[in-house]
Amino acid sequence: MLQPGQMPAEAGGPTVTRIGVIGTGVMGADHARLLTEAVSGARVGGVFDVDGGRARGVAAASGGARVFADPYALIVDDGIDAVLIASSDATHEDYVLACVAAGKPVLCEKPLAPTVEACARIVEAEIEHGSRLITVGFMRRFDPGYTGMRALLTAGEIGAPLLMHNVHRNPAAVPGLPGSALITNSAVHELDIVRWLFGEEIVEVAVHTPRPSGQAGGTQDPQLLVLTTESGVLADVEIFANARYGYEVRCELVGETGTVTVDAPPPTSLRRGGLHARALPGDWRPRFAEAYRLELQDWIDGAAGGASAWDGFAATFVAHACVAALTSGDRHAVELPPVPALYRR
Protein backbone atom coordinates (compact mmCIF):
# COMPACT_ATOMS: atom_id res chain seq x y z
CA MET A 1 0.00 0.00 0.00
CA LEU A 2 0.95 3.65 -0.02
CA GLN A 3 3.80 4.59 2.25
CA PRO A 4 4.64 5.58 4.91
CA GLY A 5 3.18 3.14 7.35
CA GLN A 6 0.17 0.89 7.41
CA MET A 7 -3.01 2.65 6.39
CA PRO A 8 -6.12 2.13 8.53
CA ALA A 9 -8.55 -0.65 7.68
CA GLU A 10 -12.28 -0.38 7.45
CA ALA A 11 -13.95 -2.26 10.29
CA GLY A 12 -13.84 -5.97 9.52
CA GLY A 13 -12.53 -5.42 5.99
CA PRO A 14 -9.30 -5.11 4.02
CA THR A 15 -6.94 -2.16 4.34
CA VAL A 16 -8.29 0.89 2.52
CA THR A 17 -6.43 4.09 1.71
CA ARG A 18 -8.55 7.19 2.29
CA ILE A 19 -7.83 9.77 -0.38
CA GLY A 20 -8.41 13.48 -0.12
CA VAL A 21 -9.07 15.08 -3.50
CA ILE A 22 -8.23 18.77 -3.92
CA GLY A 23 -9.83 20.20 -7.04
CA THR A 24 -13.03 18.63 -8.39
CA GLY A 25 -13.15 20.03 -11.91
CA VAL A 26 -13.01 17.77 -14.97
CA MET A 27 -9.77 16.04 -13.94
CA GLY A 28 -10.41 15.82 -10.21
CA ALA A 29 -13.95 14.55 -10.68
CA ASP A 30 -12.73 11.84 -13.05
CA HIS A 31 -10.03 10.77 -10.58
CA ALA A 32 -12.63 10.59 -7.82
CA ARG A 33 -14.85 8.45 -10.03
CA LEU A 34 -12.00 6.05 -10.81
CA LEU A 35 -11.00 5.80 -7.14
CA THR A 36 -14.61 4.97 -6.29
CA GLU A 37 -15.45 2.60 -9.15
CA ALA A 38 -12.28 1.15 -10.67
CA VAL A 39 -9.35 1.20 -8.21
CA SER A 40 -9.02 -1.38 -5.47
CA GLY A 41 -7.83 -0.57 -1.95
CA ALA A 42 -8.96 3.05 -1.98
CA ARG A 43 -11.90 5.29 -1.33
CA VAL A 44 -12.44 9.03 -1.48
CA GLY A 45 -12.42 10.23 2.11
CA GLY A 46 -12.69 13.97 1.52
CA VAL A 47 -12.86 16.61 -1.17
CA PHE A 48 -12.20 20.32 -1.51
CA ASP A 49 -12.93 22.75 -4.32
CA VAL A 50 -13.29 26.51 -4.46
CA ASP A 51 -16.72 25.79 -5.95
CA GLY A 52 -18.55 24.30 -2.98
CA GLY A 53 -21.44 23.00 -5.06
CA ARG A 54 -19.10 21.14 -7.37
CA ALA A 55 -17.29 19.64 -4.37
CA ARG A 56 -20.57 18.46 -2.85
CA GLY A 57 -21.58 16.82 -6.12
CA VAL A 58 -18.32 14.87 -6.35
CA ALA A 59 -18.51 13.95 -2.66
CA ALA A 60 -22.01 12.53 -3.12
CA ALA A 61 -20.96 10.57 -6.21
CA SER A 62 -18.02 9.18 -4.24
CA GLY A 63 -20.22 7.54 -1.63
CA GLY A 64 -20.64 10.40 0.79
CA ALA A 65 -17.10 11.70 1.19
CA ARG A 66 -16.60 14.63 3.55
CA VAL A 67 -16.55 18.11 2.05
CA PHE A 68 -13.81 20.38 3.44
CA ALA A 69 -13.99 24.15 3.46
CA ASP A 70 -10.19 24.45 3.77
CA PRO A 71 -7.71 22.44 1.64
CA TYR A 72 -5.02 22.59 4.31
CA ALA A 73 -7.45 21.16 6.86
CA LEU A 74 -8.04 18.27 4.46
CA ILE A 75 -4.31 17.64 4.13
CA VAL A 76 -3.64 17.38 7.87
CA ASP A 77 -6.88 15.58 8.80
CA ASP A 78 -6.34 12.21 10.52
CA GLY A 79 -9.08 10.71 8.35
CA ILE A 80 -7.09 11.36 5.16
CA ASP A 81 -4.18 9.04 4.38
CA ALA A 82 -3.01 10.48 1.05
CA VAL A 83 -3.85 13.45 -1.15
CA LEU A 84 -4.59 13.83 -4.86
CA ILE A 85 -4.12 17.37 -6.21
CA ALA A 86 -6.06 18.33 -9.34
CA SER A 87 -6.52 22.03 -8.63
CA SER A 88 -5.26 24.95 -10.73
CA ASP A 89 -1.56 24.91 -11.59
CA ALA A 90 -0.74 27.96 -9.47
CA THR A 91 -1.88 26.17 -6.29
CA HIS A 92 0.24 23.05 -6.72
CA GLU A 93 3.37 24.22 -4.94
CA ASP A 94 1.65 25.24 -1.71
CA TYR A 95 -0.50 22.12 -1.53
CA VAL A 96 2.36 19.71 -2.31
CA LEU A 97 4.61 21.38 0.27
CA ALA A 98 1.81 21.07 2.85
CA CYS A 99 1.53 17.35 2.07
CA VAL A 100 5.27 16.86 2.53
CA ALA A 101 5.16 18.78 5.82
CA ALA A 102 2.33 16.49 6.95
CA GLY A 103 4.25 13.40 5.84
CA LYS A 104 1.47 12.29 3.49
CA PRO A 105 1.84 10.71 0.04
CA VAL A 106 0.59 12.99 -2.71
CA LEU A 107 -0.25 12.51 -6.38
CA CYS A 108 -0.08 15.91 -8.07
CA GLU A 109 -1.42 16.38 -11.56
CA LYS A 110 1.07 17.90 -13.99
CA PRO A 111 2.73 20.29 -13.78
CA LEU A 112 4.34 19.71 -10.40
CA ALA A 113 4.45 23.54 -10.36
CA PRO A 114 4.37 26.18 -13.11
CA THR A 115 7.94 27.46 -12.63
CA VAL A 116 11.34 25.83 -12.37
CA GLU A 117 12.00 27.65 -9.10
CA ALA A 118 8.78 26.34 -7.52
CA CYS A 119 9.57 22.78 -8.62
CA ALA A 120 13.06 23.12 -7.12
CA ARG A 121 11.59 24.18 -3.77
CA ILE A 122 9.35 21.11 -3.78
CA VAL A 123 12.30 18.81 -4.57
CA GLU A 124 14.34 20.41 -1.79
CA ALA A 125 11.49 19.91 0.70
CA GLU A 126 11.17 16.23 -0.20
CA ILE A 127 14.92 15.72 0.11
CA GLU A 128 14.82 17.33 3.56
CA HIS A 129 11.96 15.00 4.48
CA GLY A 130 14.25 12.10 3.62
CA SER A 131 11.93 9.83 1.62
CA ARG A 132 9.80 10.05 -1.50
CA LEU A 133 6.19 11.11 -0.97
CA ILE A 134 5.44 12.82 -4.30
CA THR A 135 4.16 11.34 -7.54
CA VAL A 136 3.50 13.54 -10.58
CA GLY A 137 0.59 12.69 -12.88
CA PHE A 138 2.34 11.90 -16.14
CA MET A 139 -0.15 9.14 -16.93
CA ARG A 140 1.29 8.20 -20.33
CA ARG A 141 3.90 6.15 -18.47
CA PHE A 142 1.04 3.73 -17.80
CA ASP A 143 -0.62 3.75 -21.22
CA PRO A 144 -0.45 0.20 -22.71
CA GLY A 145 0.73 1.59 -26.05
CA TYR A 146 3.67 3.45 -24.56
CA THR A 147 4.61 0.67 -22.14
CA GLY A 148 4.52 -1.77 -25.07
CA MET A 149 6.80 0.51 -27.09
CA ARG A 150 9.25 0.73 -24.20
CA ALA A 151 9.24 -3.06 -23.73
CA LEU A 152 10.01 -3.65 -27.42
CA LEU A 153 12.81 -1.06 -27.35
CA THR A 154 14.32 -2.58 -24.18
CA ALA A 155 14.15 -6.07 -25.71
CA GLY A 156 16.14 -4.89 -28.72
CA GLU A 157 13.36 -5.65 -31.18
CA ILE A 158 14.06 -2.58 -33.36
CA GLY A 159 17.74 -2.07 -32.67
CA ALA A 160 19.19 1.18 -31.41
CA PRO A 161 16.73 4.11 -31.45
CA LEU A 162 17.33 6.88 -33.97
CA LEU A 163 14.20 9.03 -34.30
CA MET A 164 10.87 9.55 -32.57
CA HIS A 165 7.93 11.32 -34.20
CA ASN A 166 5.15 12.60 -31.93
CA VAL A 167 1.75 14.08 -32.81
CA HIS A 168 -0.37 15.79 -30.14
CA ARG A 169 -3.56 17.45 -31.37
CA ASN A 170 -6.56 18.94 -29.60
CA PRO A 171 -9.81 20.08 -31.23
CA ALA A 172 -9.73 23.61 -29.81
CA ALA A 173 -8.00 25.85 -27.28
CA VAL A 174 -8.94 29.09 -25.56
CA PRO A 175 -8.66 31.94 -28.10
CA GLY A 176 -5.58 34.07 -27.57
CA LEU A 177 -3.76 31.40 -25.52
CA PRO A 178 -0.03 32.28 -25.30
CA GLY A 179 2.11 30.14 -27.57
CA SER A 180 4.19 29.13 -24.54
CA ALA A 181 1.13 27.40 -23.04
CA LEU A 182 1.13 24.85 -25.86
CA ILE A 183 4.52 23.73 -24.56
CA THR A 184 3.97 23.96 -20.80
CA ASN A 185 0.43 22.53 -20.78
CA SER A 186 0.45 20.04 -23.67
CA ALA A 187 3.87 19.18 -25.11
CA VAL A 188 5.20 18.67 -21.57
CA HIS A 189 3.72 15.15 -21.78
CA GLU A 190 6.02 14.33 -24.70
CA LEU A 191 8.97 15.88 -22.87
CA ASP A 192 8.39 13.46 -20.02
CA ILE A 193 7.82 10.47 -22.32
CA VAL A 194 11.09 11.08 -24.19
CA ARG A 195 13.06 11.08 -20.91
CA TRP A 196 11.18 8.01 -19.64
CA LEU A 197 11.41 6.02 -22.88
CA PHE A 198 15.12 6.49 -23.49
CA GLY A 199 16.26 6.75 -19.85
CA GLU A 200 18.38 9.79 -20.60
CA GLU A 201 18.15 13.55 -20.58
CA ILE A 202 17.20 16.00 -23.31
CA VAL A 203 20.25 18.19 -23.94
CA GLU A 204 19.10 20.52 -26.72
CA VAL A 205 15.77 21.88 -27.94
CA ALA A 206 14.50 23.92 -30.88
CA VAL A 207 11.00 25.16 -31.69
CA HIS A 208 9.84 25.83 -35.25
CA THR A 209 6.69 27.76 -36.07
CA PRO A 210 4.83 27.63 -39.39
CA ARG A 211 2.26 30.27 -40.18
CA PRO A 212 -0.46 30.16 -37.49
CA SER A 213 -3.68 28.35 -38.26
CA GLY A 214 -6.58 30.65 -39.04
CA GLN A 215 -8.53 28.63 -36.45
CA ALA A 216 -6.08 29.43 -33.63
CA GLY A 217 -7.55 32.75 -32.47
CA GLY A 218 -4.20 34.55 -32.37
CA THR A 219 -2.18 31.72 -30.79
CA GLN A 220 1.07 30.61 -32.43
CA ASP A 221 -0.37 27.22 -33.34
CA PRO A 222 0.81 24.69 -34.48
CA GLN A 223 4.41 24.33 -33.29
CA LEU A 224 7.12 21.77 -34.01
CA LEU A 225 9.57 20.95 -31.23
CA VAL A 226 12.83 19.15 -32.00
CA LEU A 227 14.55 17.51 -29.04
CA THR A 228 18.05 15.99 -28.90
CA THR A 229 18.87 13.42 -26.22
CA GLU A 230 22.24 12.63 -24.66
CA SER A 231 22.90 9.72 -27.03
CA GLY A 232 21.87 11.69 -30.12
CA VAL A 233 18.30 10.48 -30.63
CA LEU A 234 16.13 13.13 -32.30
CA ALA A 235 12.49 13.42 -31.19
CA ASP A 236 10.10 15.81 -32.89
CA VAL A 237 6.79 16.89 -31.38
CA GLU A 238 4.00 18.43 -33.42
CA ILE A 239 1.67 20.24 -31.05
CA PHE A 240 -1.55 21.51 -32.64
CA ALA A 241 -4.09 22.84 -30.14
CA ASN A 242 -6.77 23.87 -32.66
CA ALA A 243 -6.86 20.89 -35.03
CA ARG A 244 -10.69 20.99 -34.90
CA TYR A 245 -11.37 17.40 -35.95
CA GLY A 246 -10.85 15.77 -32.53
CA TYR A 247 -8.27 14.70 -29.96
CA GLU A 248 -5.38 12.61 -31.25
CA VAL A 249 -2.07 11.45 -29.78
CA ARG A 250 0.23 9.07 -31.62
CA CYS A 251 3.92 8.47 -32.16
CA GLU A 252 6.41 6.37 -34.08
CA LEU A 253 9.80 5.21 -32.81
CA VAL A 254 12.35 4.51 -35.54
CA GLY A 255 15.20 2.14 -34.77
CA GLU A 256 18.08 0.70 -36.78
CA THR A 257 16.15 -2.48 -37.67
CA GLY A 258 12.46 -1.61 -37.30
CA THR A 259 9.81 0.78 -36.02
CA VAL A 260 7.12 0.81 -33.32
CA THR A 261 3.95 2.89 -33.60
CA VAL A 262 1.59 3.98 -30.83
CA ASP A 263 -1.83 5.08 -32.01
CA ALA A 264 -5.30 5.58 -30.52
CA PRO A 265 -6.93 2.25 -29.62
CA PRO A 266 -10.22 2.46 -31.57
CA PRO A 267 -12.95 0.20 -30.17
CA THR A 268 -14.74 0.10 -33.52
CA SER A 269 -14.21 1.15 -37.13
CA LEU A 270 -16.66 1.63 -39.97
CA ARG A 271 -16.38 0.52 -43.59
CA ARG A 272 -19.15 1.84 -45.81
CA GLY A 273 -19.56 3.45 -49.21
CA GLY A 274 -15.85 3.51 -49.99
CA LEU A 275 -15.02 4.94 -46.54
CA HIS A 276 -12.98 3.39 -43.73
CA ALA A 277 -13.47 5.48 -40.60
CA ARG A 278 -13.09 5.42 -36.83
CA ALA A 279 -14.35 7.80 -34.19
CA LEU A 280 -11.96 10.16 -32.41
CA PRO A 281 -12.58 11.42 -28.86
CA GLY A 282 -13.26 15.05 -28.03
CA ASP A 283 -10.63 15.20 -25.30
CA TRP A 284 -7.93 13.19 -23.52
CA ARG A 285 -10.11 11.19 -21.11
CA PRO A 286 -11.34 8.41 -23.43
CA ARG A 287 -7.92 8.08 -25.08
CA PHE A 288 -6.05 7.65 -21.79
CA ALA A 289 -8.80 6.15 -19.60
CA GLU A 290 -6.85 2.95 -18.96
CA ALA A 291 -3.63 4.88 -18.32
CA TYR A 292 -5.33 6.94 -15.61
CA ARG A 293 -6.77 3.83 -13.97
CA LEU A 294 -3.42 2.04 -14.00
CA GLU A 295 -1.65 5.15 -12.69
CA LEU A 296 -4.02 5.42 -9.73
CA GLN A 297 -3.80 1.70 -8.96
CA ASP A 298 0.01 1.86 -9.05
CA TRP A 299 -0.07 4.82 -6.65
CA ILE A 300 -2.46 3.13 -4.24
CA ASP A 301 -0.38 -0.07 -4.34
CA GLY A 302 2.78 1.91 -3.57
CA ALA A 303 4.50 0.38 -6.59
CA ALA A 304 6.39 3.62 -7.36
CA GLY A 305 6.00 3.28 -11.12
CA GLY A 306 4.94 6.87 -11.59
CA ALA A 307 6.92 10.04 -12.21
CA SER A 308 8.86 11.41 -9.23
CA ALA A 309 9.17 14.99 -8.04
CA TRP A 310 12.50 15.09 -9.86
CA ASP A 311 10.77 14.01 -13.08
CA GLY A 312 8.28 16.82 -12.52
CA PHE A 313 11.13 19.28 -12.04
CA ALA A 314 12.93 18.00 -15.16
CA ALA A 315 9.81 18.23 -17.34
CA THR A 316 9.19 21.83 -16.28
CA PHE A 317 12.88 22.66 -16.72
CA VAL A 318 12.92 21.34 -20.31
CA ALA A 319 9.54 22.96 -21.06
CA HIS A 320 10.90 26.37 -20.09
CA ALA A 321 13.98 25.77 -22.23
CA CYS A 322 11.57 25.14 -25.13
CA VAL A 323 9.74 28.38 -24.33
CA ALA A 324 13.09 30.19 -24.45
CA ALA A 325 13.78 28.59 -27.85
CA LEU A 326 10.32 29.62 -29.06
CA THR A 327 10.98 33.22 -28.01
CA SER A 328 14.49 33.46 -29.47
CA GLY A 329 14.02 31.31 -32.55
CA ASP A 330 17.37 29.65 -31.80
CA ARG A 331 18.42 26.26 -30.53
CA HIS A 332 18.62 26.17 -26.77
CA ALA A 333 20.96 23.98 -24.73
CA VAL A 334 19.45 22.18 -21.74
CA GLU A 335 21.69 21.63 -18.71
CA LEU A 336 19.79 19.92 -15.93
CA PRO A 337 21.44 19.79 -12.49
CA PRO A 338 22.76 16.40 -11.31
CA VAL A 339 20.07 14.02 -10.10
CA PRO A 340 19.90 14.08 -6.27
CA ALA A 341 20.62 10.78 -4.51
CA LEU A 342 16.98 10.39 -3.39
CA TYR A 343 15.87 10.01 -7.02
CA ARG A 344 18.60 7.74 -8.37
CA ARG A 345 17.52 4.21 -9.22
Side-chain angles (χ1 to χ4, degrees), residues 12 17 21 28 60 78 104 109 113 188 196 215 218 223 236 246 248 277:
T17 304
V21 177
D78 290 340
K104 292 190 177 180
E109 269 303 328
V188 68
W196 170 81
Q215 304 292 316
Q223 298 175 20
D236 61 72
E248 185 175 24

Side-chain angles (χ1 to χ4, degrees), residues 95-113:
Y95 293 159
V96 171
L97 289 175
C99 290
V100 172
K104 292 190 177 180
V106 53
L107 171 60
C108 179
E109 269 303 328
K110 66 85 185 168
L112 176 61

Side-chain angles (χ1 to χ4, degrees), residues 265-291:
T268 57
S269 62
L270 172 68
R271 287 180 171 87
R272 185 183 65 187
L275 176 70
H276 181 197
R278 68 182 189 190
L280 288 172
D283 65 25
W284 67 92
R285 287 170 294 171
R287 168 62 182 87
F288 288 109
E290 181 65 357

Side-chain angles (χ1 to χ4, degrees), residues 8-93:
E10 302 286 358
T15 302
V16 174
T17 304
R18 300 166 299 185
I19 307 300
V21 177
I22 297 178
T24 57
V26 172
M27 184 66 72
D30 208 48
H31 281 320
R33 179 187 62 80
L34 287 170
L35 288 166
T36 302
E37 301 176 359
V39 175
S40 62
R43 70 174 176 85
V44 178
V47 299
F48 166 81
D49 195 278
V50 292
D51 183 330
R54 190 164 63 185
R56 288 190 291 274
V58 170
S62 302
R66 297 163 60 197
V67 177
F68 285 78
D70 180 351
Y72 298 100
L74 178 151
I75 291 169
V76 300
D77 192 277
D78 290 340
I80 299 297
D81 304 311
V83 179
L84 191 154
I85 297 172
S87 51
S88 61
D89 296 354
T91 66
H92 288 189
E93 179 186 5

